[in-house]
C-alpha cells in the first residue's frame, strides 16, 4: 500500500492534466502537468534522488508541449491517449535500462530487500505489467472504447500494485526456503527401539562426530564406524620418533587442521563443547599469523581495527576502502553468527516464512551479501592488487583459487581477525577425542578400524550399514561423513539414486588436494605460528610448537609446509592408467618416490627464502602427496576439501530417504564448516534438535582418554 500511495503522488501531475483536458483546456493541461512534474523533479534533486518514471513524465509533457506548439488542434484532440502511450513506453524502457520504475518507489517500503534478485524480479514484473496496462489504456482511448473498458483495465493493475509485492515476496521467500534442500522427505520415526541403533554414522571425521554428538546428547542411539585407527578424519595428530645426536627424540605432528576458528564465546566450537559439557577439557591458545610478500612481512595485530589501519598505512590510496570493507565484513560476520544464539553456536537461516520475512530487518548486512560473490563485496571497496593479495591471504583455508566463493563461505574466514584462530594444547586430535568421549559417555559407540562396505537401502530408505567383515548393523537412519562422491559411487548402489543426480555427481570434480612436508628441526625459527608465503610458491608454514612447545623436544620445533594442489594436477599423482586402488602399488614405485622427493625439496627451497639454512636443521622429514591423502582418508583424488562447490549438495538430505550427508559435501571445508554440516545433518533427521536444551544428565561423569 505504501508503494502504491507513493506512485499515486507521482501521478498527481497526470491527474491535473486529465482534469483540465476533460474541461477542454489542453494548453493549460499540458502546461500544468509540465510545471507540477518539474517542481517534483526539483524536489527530488534537492534530495539527490532520480526516479525514472518522473524523468519520463517530464519528457512526455515536454513532447506534448512541442506538439501543441506545432499542431495545437491535433495534439489537443489526442493528448490523452498520447500521454498514456508515453507512460507505457517509459515503463517498458525502464526494464530495458534494468531499472524497473516501480523499484524507485517500492525501495522506500522494502529497503532491506532492495538489493536482492527477488526485489528486482518482482519490480520488473510490476513495471512490465503497468507498461502493458498503460499501452492498453492508450489503445482504448485512441479507439474511443466505452469508459468501463478503461476501468476494467485499471482495477487489476491497482490490485496487483497494492497486494502483489507482499504476495510475490512471500512466494519468493517460500521458494528460497524450499531451494535450500535439493531433496525433500519427512524425518524418520525414532519412536520404537528396534534395530541395532537409531543412527549409523559412516566416518568419524569432525562432521560425523558432530552429528553423532548432537544426536547422542538428545538421547538417540548412535554408532560411528571409521576405517582409520584414529578418530577425526584429517583432524588428528600422531607422534614420530627420530634420533638426534645419538639419542631418540619424539615429535608430534598434526595431520591437517592447526588453526581453529569458532573458538570464542558463542562460536561454533565452543558452543558445541559447552553443550556437551566438555569445554574445560581442552586448553586453547591463540595462533598469530604472518604474511610474507615480495614487498615485506605483515604481522596482523590481534585487534582487527588495528589490522585494517595497518593495511591502510601500507596501501594509503586504499586506506578508506580497506577500513570500510573490514567494517562491512564484520557486520556480515555478526549477522551470520548471531543466528547461532539458542542453537549451540550453530549459525543458520530462518526455518519459517515469518522468520524469513523478519530476517532482512534483523540481519540487514547478512541478508544483503551472504549469497553474493565475495569478490563483488571486495571490489565495492578495494581495487589495489597489492592490498587484494593480503585481503585474500587466508583464502587457501577454503580453496585453491579456482572457484568463486560467496560471502557466506568467505566471511567466516575473517573470524580469524575478529575472534582469533586457536590451537588445542596436546594436538589437533584433542578436539576429536573430546567429541568421542562425549559420544561414549552418552551411550554411543565409535568403532575404529571398522570400514563400511555398503549403506543398506530398503524400500527407498537407508536402513543400516554392512561392515567390511560382513556384519550388518540395522538403523533407522544413516549419516555419511565418508567422501561425498564415494558415498554414492561405492556405498550406495546406483539403482537407489536418480539418473540426473548420478550424472551431476559424475560431472562434479573433487576440490583441491595438497602436498605437505612435515619437518622436525633442531632450532626455534623466528616466525609466527601460521606463516603464509603469498608470493611465488604460495606455501603455508604451520609451526604449532611455537604455540604448544609439547609438540617438540626443548630447543626443537615442528614445521608443516603446506601447498595446495588443484584437482587437475592432483590427478597426475595417481597411476596414468588403470583404476580402483592401483595407486597402492604405484606409491611404492621408483617414479612416484622420485617425484615426491623432488616436490618436497622444492617446497623446502621455497621455505628457505624465509628460513635460510633450513635444510641443515632438519632432523625428521615426511612428505605427503595427494596419494597419501587418498590412502589415509579414502578421499577422491586425495581431496582435502571434499567436492568442488558445484558438486556439493544443497541441504543435508540425499536422494535416498533417511540418508543425510555430513562433511565437505554440504556446507563446505574447514573444521567449523563441517561441524555445521554435522549439526545440520542431525537437524535434518530430528527437526528442532539444535534448539533443544542439552540432554546430558547433570553431574554425569565423562571418561578420560589419553591423547594418541
Amino acid at each position: 500500500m505504501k508503494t502504491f500511495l507513493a506512485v499515486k503522488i507521482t501521478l498527481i501531475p497526470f491527474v491535473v492534466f486529465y482534469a483540465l483536458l476533460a474541461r477542454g483546456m489542453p494548453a493549460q493541461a499540458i502546461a500544468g502537468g509540465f510545471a507540477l512534474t518539474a517542481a517534483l523533479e526539483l524536489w527530488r534533486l534537492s534530495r539527490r534522488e532520480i526516479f525514472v518514471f518522473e524523468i519520463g513524465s517530464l519528457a512526455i509533457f515536454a513532447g506534448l508541449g512541442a506538439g501543441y506548439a506545432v499542431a495545437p488542434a491535433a495534439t489537443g484532440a489526442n493528448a490523452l491517449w498520447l500521454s498514456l502511450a508515453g507512460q507505457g513506453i517509459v515503463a517498458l524502457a525502464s526494464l530495458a535500462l534494468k531499472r524497473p520504475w516501480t523499484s524507485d518507489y517500492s525501495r522506500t517500503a522494502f529497503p532491506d530487500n532492495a538489493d536482492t534478485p527477488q526485489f528486482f524480479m518482482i519490480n520488473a514484473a510490476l513495471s512490465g505489467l503497468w507498461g502493458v496496462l498503460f499501452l492498453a489504456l492508450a489503445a482504448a482511448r485512441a479507439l474511443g472504447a466505452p469508459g468501463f473498458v478503461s476501468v476494467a483495465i485499471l482495477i487489476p493493475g491497482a490490485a496487483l500494485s497494492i497486494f502483489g509485492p507482499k504476495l510475490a515476496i512471500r512466494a519468493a521467500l517460500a521458494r528460497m526456503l524450499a531451494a535450500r534442500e535439493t531433496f525433500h522427505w519427512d524425518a524418520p520415526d525414532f519412536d520404537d527401539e528396534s534395530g541395532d541403533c537409531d543412527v549409523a554414522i559412516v566416518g568419524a571425521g569432525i562432521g560425523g562426530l558432530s552429528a553423532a554428538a548432537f544426536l547422542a546428547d538428545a538421547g538417540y542411539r548412535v554408532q560411528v564406524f571409521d576405517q582409520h585407527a584414529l578418530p577425526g578424519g584429517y583432524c588428528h595428530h600422531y607422534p614420530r620418533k627420530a634420533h638426534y645426536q645419538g639419542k631418540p627424540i619424539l615429535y608430534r605432528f598434526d595431520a591437517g587442521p592447526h588453526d581453529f576458528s569458532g573458538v570464542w564465546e558463542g562460536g561454533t566450537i565452543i558452543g558445541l563443547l559447552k553443550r556437551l559439557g566438555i569445554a574445560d577439557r581442552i586448553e586453547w591458545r591463540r595462533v598469530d599469523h604472518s604474511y610474507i610478500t615480495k614487498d615485506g612481512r605483515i604481522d596482523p595485530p590481534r585487534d582487527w581495527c588495528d589490522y585494517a589501519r595497518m593495511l591502510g598505512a601500507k596501501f594509503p590510496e586504499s586506506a578508506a576502502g580497506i577500513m570500510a570493507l573490514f567494517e562491512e565484513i564484520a557486520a556480515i560476520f555478526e549477522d551470520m553468527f548471531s543466528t547461532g544464539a539458542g542453537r549451540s553456536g550453530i549459525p543458520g537461516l530462518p526455518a519459517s516464512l515469518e522468520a524469513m520475512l523478519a530476517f532482512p530487518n534483523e540481519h540487514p548486512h547478512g541478508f544483503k551479501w551472504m549469497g553474493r560473490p565475495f569478490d563483488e563485496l571486495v571490489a565495492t571497496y578495494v581495487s589495489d592488487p597489492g592490498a587484494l593479495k593480503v585481503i585474500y591471504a587466508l583464502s587457501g583455508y577454503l580453496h585453491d583459487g579456482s572457484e568463486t566463493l560467496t560471502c557466506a563461505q568467505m566471511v567466516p574466514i575473517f573470524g580469524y581477525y575478529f575472534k582469533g584462530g586457536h590451537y588445542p594444547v596436546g594436538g589437533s586430535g584433542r578436539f576429536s577425542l573430546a567429541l568421542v568421549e562425549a559420544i561414549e559417555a552418552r551411550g554411543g559407540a565409535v568403532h575404529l578400524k571398522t570400514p563400511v562396505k555398503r549403506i543398506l537401502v530398503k524400500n527407498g530408505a537407508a536402513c543400516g550399514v554392512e561392515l567390511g567383515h560382513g556384519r550388518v548393523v540395522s538403523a533407522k537412519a544413516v549419516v555419511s561423513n565418508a567422501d561425498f562422491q564415494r558415498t554414492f559411487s561405492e556405498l550406495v548402489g546406483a539403482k537407489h539414486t536418480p539418473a540426473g543426480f548420478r550424472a551431476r555427481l559424475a560431472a562434479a570434480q573433487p576440490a583441491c588436494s595438497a602436498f605437505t612436508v612435515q619437518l622436525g628441526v633442531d632450532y626455534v625459527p623466528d616466525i609466527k605460528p601460521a606463516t603464509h608465503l603469498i608470493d611465488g610458491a604460495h606455501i603455508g608454514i604451520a609451526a604449532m610448537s611455537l604455540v604448544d612447545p609439547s609438540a617438540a623436544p626443548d630447543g626443537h620445533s615442528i614445521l608443516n609446509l603446506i601447498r595446495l594442489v588443484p584437482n587437475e594436477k592432483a590427478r597426475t599423482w595417481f597411476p596414468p592408467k588403470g583404476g580402483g586402488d592401483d595407486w597402492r602399488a604405484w606409491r611404492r614405485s621408483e617414479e612416484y618416490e622420485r617425484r615426491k622427493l623432488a616436490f618436497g625439496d622444492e617446497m623446502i627451497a621455497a621455505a628457505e627464502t624465509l628460513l635460510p639454512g633450513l635444510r641443515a636443521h632438519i632432523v625428521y622429514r615426511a612428505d605427503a602427496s595427494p596419494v597419501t591423502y587418498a590412502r589415509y582418508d579414502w578421499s577422491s583424488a586425495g581431496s582435502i576439501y571434499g567436492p568442488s562447490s558445484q558438486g556439493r549438495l544443497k541441504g543435508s538430505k540425499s536422494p535416498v530417504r533417511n540418508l543425510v550427508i555430513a562433511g565437505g559435501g554440504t556446507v563446505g571445508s574447514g573444521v567449523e564448516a563441517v561441524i555445521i554440516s554435522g549439526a545440520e545433518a542431525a537437524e535434518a533427521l530430528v527437526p528442532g534438535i539444535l534448539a533443544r536444551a542439552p540432554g546430558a544428565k547433570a553431574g554425569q561423569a565423562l571418561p578420560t582418554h589419553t591423547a594418541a
Side-chain angles (χ1 to χ4, degrees):
M1 179 64 80
K2 185 177 179 181
T3 302
F4 183 68
L5 292 176
V7 175
K8 292 283 283 185
I9 293 172
T10 297
L11 293 176
I12 287 177
F14 284 100
V15 173
V16 172
F17 170 72
Y18 298 143
L20 291 174
L21 275 182
R23 298 185 65 178
M25 304 168 65
Q28 293 86 343
I30 295 170
F34 182 85
L36 288 172
T37 305
L40 179 61
E41 282 311 289
L42 288 173
W43 178 69
R44 293 289 189 202
L45 288 173
S46 70
R47 294 164 56 89
R48 297 184 178 180
E49 296 176 339
I50 296 177
F51 282 34
V52 172
F53 190 82
E54 293 167 10
I55 296 293
S57 299
L58 197 62
I60 291 170
F61 287 122
L64 289 172
Y68 193 82
V70 175
T75 303
N78 296 286
L80 178 57
W81 76 264
L82 285 172
S83 69
L84 290 167
Q87 292 174 75
I89 292 170
V90 169
L92 296 178
S94 72
L95 295 181
L97 295 172
K98 296 185 178 180
R99 182 170 174 172
W101 70 274
T102 58
S103 65
D104 292 330
Y105 305 97
S106 55
R107 188 179 300 274
T108 60
F110 304 99
D112 298 317
N113 298 275
D115 293 315
T116 64
Q118 293 77 23
F119 180 88
F120 176 84
M121 288 188 294
I122 291 167
N123 279 283
L126 285 174
S127 296
L129 169 68
W130 274 105
V132 173
L133 291 177
F134 283 135
L135 292 176
L137 286 169
R141 302 314 301 159
L143 297 172
F148 72 83
V149 174
S150 297
V151 173
I153 293 172
L154 280 172
I155 287 176
L160 283 172
S161 295
I162 294 171
F163 304 110
K166 286 189 176 180
L167 292 174
I169 286 174
R170 293 182 72 89
L173 291 178
R175 286 195 298 272
M176 287 174 64
L177 281 171
R180 287 183 196 166
E181 293 183 325
T182 307
F183 301 99
H184 301 268
W185 36 261
D186 293 334
D189 182 4
F190 292 104
D191 287 343
D192 68 85
E193 294 191 1
S194 61
D196 297 310
C197 60
D198 292 320
V199 184
I201 292 101
V202 183
I206 296 301
L209 292 177
S210 298
F214 276 108
L215 291 164
D217 186 64
Y220 294 89
R221 299 172 300 149
V222 301
Q223 292 196 46
V224 185
F225 304 94
D226 196 283
Q227 53 85 21
H228 204 294
L230 297 170
Y234 290 127
C235 191
H236 73 266
H237 59 265
Y238 54 90
R240 285 294 180 264
K241 292 181 180 179
H243 284 82
Y244 180 72
Q245 295 180 349
K247 297 180 181 179
I249 57 174
L250 191 69
Y251 296 105
R252 188 190 69 232
F253 296 103
D254 297 291
H258 55 272
D259 194 3
F260 291 69
S261 59
V263 184
W264 46 276
E265 192 63 36
T268 302
I269 288 180
I270 294 301
L272 172 58
L273 294 177
K274 280 196 168 185
R275 182 188 184 100
L276 300 174
I278 55 174
D280 60 346
R281 291 296 182 91
I282 301 176
E283 178 187 350
W284 298 93
R285 292 181 183 170
R286 182 78 178 254
V287 176
D288 289 313
H289 290 205
S290 183
Y291 307 129
I292 311 301
T293 75
K294 62 182 180 181
D295 299 319
R297 172 172 168 170
I298 299 174
D299 295 339
R302 291 189 174 185
D303 184 291
W304 69 268
C305 293
D306 291 340
Y307 181 45
R309 282 189 283 268
M310 172 190 285
L311 292 182
K314 187 172 182 64
F315 306 100
E317 293 185 1
S318 300
I322 290 171
M323 180 58 75
L325 173 63
F326 270 75
E327 288 173 347
E328 184 67 19
I329 294 175
I332 299 169
F333 182 90
E334 291 299 327
D335 276 356
M336 288 178 62
F337 284 91
S338 65
T339 62
R343 288 165 46 95
S344 297
I346 304 298
L349 290 171
S352 69
L353 189 57
E354 289 68 26
M356 280 288 286
L357 287 168
F359 190 82
N361 290 323
E362 296 173 354
H363 310 282
H365 300 276
F367 181 81
K368 177 180 179 180
W369 284 108
M370 280 168 56
R372 295 164 68 176
F374 183 72
D375 293 349
E376 180 184 341
L377 171 64
V378 175
T380 303
Y381 298 97
V382 182
S383 59
D384 182 280
L388 293 176
K389 186 186 300 182
V390 181
I391 289 169
Y392 283 92
L394 290 180
S395 61
Y397 281 9
L398 296 178
H399 71 145
D400 61 1
S402 62
E403 301 180 85
T404 297
L405 301 187
T406 65
C407 290
Q409 294 169 308
M410 276 292 294
V411 164
I413 283 293
F414 284 76
Y416 287 102
Y417 305 125
F418 305 142
K419 307 291 185 179
H422 295 79
Y423 180 77
V425 173
S428 60
R430 281 303 308 140
F431 179 59
S432 305
L433 289 171
L435 295 181
V436 171
E437 292 167 1
I439 293 165
E440 293 177 342
R442 287 157 176 78
V446 178
H447 306 276
L448 302 176
K449 298 182 181 179
T450 311
V452 170
K453 178 181 179 181
R454 188 163 57 102
I455 294 175
L456 304 176
V457 180
K458 182 178 181 180
N459 297 326
C463 59
V465 297
E466 179 184 349
L467 304 179
H469 52 65
R471 178 191 164 203
V472 169
V473 178
S474 60
K476 299 179 181 67
V478 176
V479 176
S480 179
N481 185 210
D483 179 84
F484 180 66
Q485 288 163 304
R486 295 185 71 168
T487 292
F488 295 99
S489 64
E490 299 178 18
L491 301 183
V492 176
K495 65 180 180 180
H496 300 302
T497 57
F501 175 79
R502 295 197 301 273
R504 185 170 68 85
L505 190 70
Q509 294 294 320
C512 64
S513 185
F515 194 104
T516 58
V517 180
Q518 302 276 28
L519 299 176
V521 297
D522 63 357
Y523 79 120
V524 179
D526 182 19
I527 59 173
K528 296 294 183 181
T531 296
H532 308 263
L533 282 65
I534 59 178
D535 281 313
H538 296 278
I539 289 175
I541 304 176
M544 291 303 108
S545 56
L546 300 179
V547 179
D548 177 13
S550 69
D554 289 343
H556 289 239
S557 304
I558 58 166
L559 299 177
N560 184 7
L561 312 185
I562 310 162
R563 184 173 181 178
L564 298 182
V565 181
N567 174 253
E568 63 273 14
K569 292 185 178 180
R571 290 184 179 278
T572 67
W573 282 89
F574 292 83
K577 294 182 180 180
D581 292 331
D582 286 357
W583 56 265
R584 295 183 186 279
W586 169 255
R587 57 179 286 269
R588 295 184 177 89
S589 69
E590 182 179 343
E591 179 183 351
Y592 169 79
E593 289 290 351
R594 184 169 56 250
R595 182 183 180 187
K596 183 179 175 184
L597 179 63
F599 200 94
D601 286 345
E602 288 180 14
M603 291 179 60
I604 293 172
E608 284 188 311
T609 61
L610 175 65
L611 302 171
L614 172 62
R615 194 179 303 270
H617 292 280
I618 297 174
V619 178
Y620 175 87
R621 171 182 170 179
D623 299 353
S625 78
V627 172
T628 312
Y629 287 105
R631 175 191 175 196
Y632 284 103
D633 197 61
W634 289 13
S635 59
S636 297
S639 171
I640 62 170
Y641 291 155
S644 60
S645 295
Q646 296 86 346
R648 289 178 188 144
L649 198 64
K650 288 184 179 180
S652 302
K653 295 179 180 178
S654 81
V656 179
R657 186 160 45 91
N658 298 349
L659 171 61
V660 295
I661 303 301
T666 58
V667 177
S669 55
V671 171
E672 194 171 10
V674 295
I675 289 173
I676 295 171
S677 78
E680 291 185 349
E683 180 80 13
L685 295 177
V686 185
I689 192 173
L690 297 180
R692 293 184 184 182
K697 296 179 181 178
Q700 184 174 10
L702 299 179
T704 301
H705 289 247
T706 302

